[in-house]
Amino acid sequence: MRTHPSRTADRLLVVAAAGTGLAAAVLALLVAPTDAVQGQPQRLMYVHVPAAWLAYLCFAVVLLASIAYLLRRDLRWDRVAQAAAELGVGMTALAIALGSVWGRPVWGVWWVWDPRLVTTAVLLLVYLGHLSVRGLGDDRAAGARRAAAVGIIGFVNVPIVHFSVVWWRTLHQPASVLSPDPAPMDPRMAAALGVAVLAFTLAGALVVRRRLRVLAALDADHHPFPAPPVAAEPLVVLPRSRP
């Protein structure tokens, strides 16, 4: 029996994500040196930064899929936007939580009204709104249009979050990746971080693919395709028998 191509792709993603995740754990815990200033809490970077990166990537997908939906009015693009937004919201929440745990021993507090933290919290609320407006009313297409508008406008906050450590005075350290002036990093730390980012990206692709199948099934249940018309049987006229 031949395996469906999508199932094969999922299995490859599972293997790739698991392999890179294991490699990232080994590099982060056993190979990368302990930070001279922050100590062991700095190792949270190997999850915190990949989570933030994956959130950025998801919201970029939301932006592109939302534009595609408004241009084509194809619900497949709306499902891509929804699946990516759900994962992006989860990764943003994870990044905030890990940042708080990391900040407690380093800054001495769980939370500060820092530009990076505040803009990230706003980002989380924006994309929670993106998911929430879908359920306003019973019109599926209208909900998709509202969500697309929020998904497009909300992306404006992504570069604000990322460059907040450059534009304003902040306690947060400079960006480790995607920065014009990245913070200096030991090559072993950089290798561990790079592999962790790859592992999160592969795992995220797998999650989105599987979520898309669920959303497609839900759409099919709520908006089933009309059944094809049944051809009427020809009327047979029997000859009248003579008495």
Side-chain angles (χ1 to χ4, degrees):
M1 180 181 294
R2 297 181 61 184
T3 304
H4 194 278
S6 64
R7 301 295 181 184
T8 302
D10 282 356
R11 291 173 183 173
L12 291 175
L13 279 174
V14 168
V15 172
T20 52
L22 179 61
V26 171
L27 289 171
L29 298 176
L30 302 178
V31 177
T34 302
D35 187 83
V37 176
Q38 301 181 35
Q40 293 296 340
Q42 179 272 340
R43 294 189 191 276
L44 287 170
M45 176 186 73
Y46 303 113
V47 180
H48 174 74
V49 172
W53 150 257
L54 185 55
Y56 289 168
L57 181 60
C58 286
F59 297 146
V61 172
V62 173
L63 170 67
L64 297 176
S66 297
I67 294 173
Y69 173 74
L70 292 179
L71 292 176
R72 296 181 174 272
R73 301 303 169 97
D74 186 337
L75 287 177
R76 287 177 296 182
W77 288 112
D78 178 64
R79 291 195 291 267
V80 171
Q82 181 177 349
E86 290 172 350
L87 180 58
V89 164
M91 289 298 101
T92 304
L94 177 62
I96 291 174
L98 290 177
S100 181
V101 174
W102 186 359
R104 180 66 179 86
V106 176
W107 297 341
V109 292
W110 295 100
W111 175 269
V112 291
W113 294 101
D114 179 88
R116 168 58 69 84
L117 275 66
V118 172
T119 53
T120 304
V122 171
L123 186 70
L124 177 62
L125 294 176
V126 166
Y127 283 94
L128 283 173
H130 166 85
L131 296 174
S132 299
V133 296
R134 295 177 172 279
L136 299 178
D138 297 327
D139 189 334
R140 173 75 171 83
R145 290 194 299 271
R146 287 191 294 266
V150 176
I152 293 170
I153 297 171
F155 189 79
V156 173
N157 197 33
V158 172
I160 294 175
V161 171
H162 187 71
F163 291 106
S164 59
V165 294
V166 177
W167 296 339
W168 297 294
R169 296 180 61 182
T170 173
L171 290 174
H172 197 282
Q173 69 183 45
S176 302
V177 294
L178 299 178
S179 172
D181 187 21
M185 187 182 301
D186 184 284
R188 292 166 293 177
M189 290 182 174
L193 183 59
V195 176
V197 166
L198 177 59
F200 267 67
T201 304
L202 293 171
L206 177 64
V207 169
V208 169
R209 283 175 58 87
R210 292 191 170 181
R211 181 58 176 160
L212 282 174
R213 286 200 287 269
V214 173
L215 293 175
L218 291 174
D219 271 346
D221 288 341
H222 295 153
H223 305 278
F225 294 105
V230 178
E233 295 183 359
L235 180 63
V236 178
V237 179
L238 298 176
R240 296 178 62 183
S241 59
R242 295 182 179 181

